[in-house]
Amino acid sequence: GVAAAVAKLAAGHVACLLVEESDRLIGVFTDREVLNHVAGDGGALDKPVREYMTSDPVYVYEDDPAAAALCVMAVSGYRHVPIVDNELRVKGIISPKRVTEFLSQHLA
């Protein structure tokens, strides 16, 4: 539920959790959902994450070029973009920190 998801965000010092069902990506739950929706709803912690997550999230495929991932981030406005395989199984995530690391390695 939401309480467990918020605890995972806090414990992992992360801003985003990827939500899977049957090993397939179905949503993204972020610190922004917590601030914008959960914090104002007194009963939210007892509800399922599905009620607050972003369903059908924007994603990139693992074999997409780095430029495609950067473009998706820029156009969609999302700070965190899941990376999936052709079966929508989660392989990773693109984040601002990872973009910075990538750019510093490849443009230095």
Side-chain angles (χ1 to χ4, degrees):
V2 171
V6 171
K8 283 183 182 182
L9 287 171
H13 302 285
V14 295
C16 177
L17 297 176
L18 302 181
V19 183
E20 297 173 89
E21 186 174 88
S22 300
D23 294 327
R24 304 294 188 270
L25 178 68
I26 62 163
V28 174
F29 182 74
T30 70
D31 55 357
R32 288 189 181 187
E33 270 91 26
V34 174
L35 292 173
N36 294 334
H37 305 291
V38 173
D41 181 350
L45 293 178
D46 297 324
K47 294 180 181 176
V49 172
R50 187 180 293 266
E51 291 188 27
Y52 296 95
M53 71 182 188
T54 298
S55 299
D56 300 318
V58 174
Y59 55 83
V60 295
Y61 291 102
E62 64 184 337
D63 55 356
D64 284 343
L70 294 173
C71 182
V72 166
M73 289 178 78
V75 171
S76 72
Y78 293 119
R79 297 177 301 145
H80 298 86
V81 177
I83 304 167
V84 299
D85 66 13
N86 290 333
E87 303 297 321
L88 296 184
R89 291 184 296 250
V90 173
K91 295 299 181 179
I93 191 165
I94 300 286
S95 68
K97 179 180 177 182
R98 290 183 176 159
V99 168
T100 302
E101 290 170 357
F102 174 84
L103 293 175
S104 68
Q105 289 175 356
H106 290 86
L107 299 178

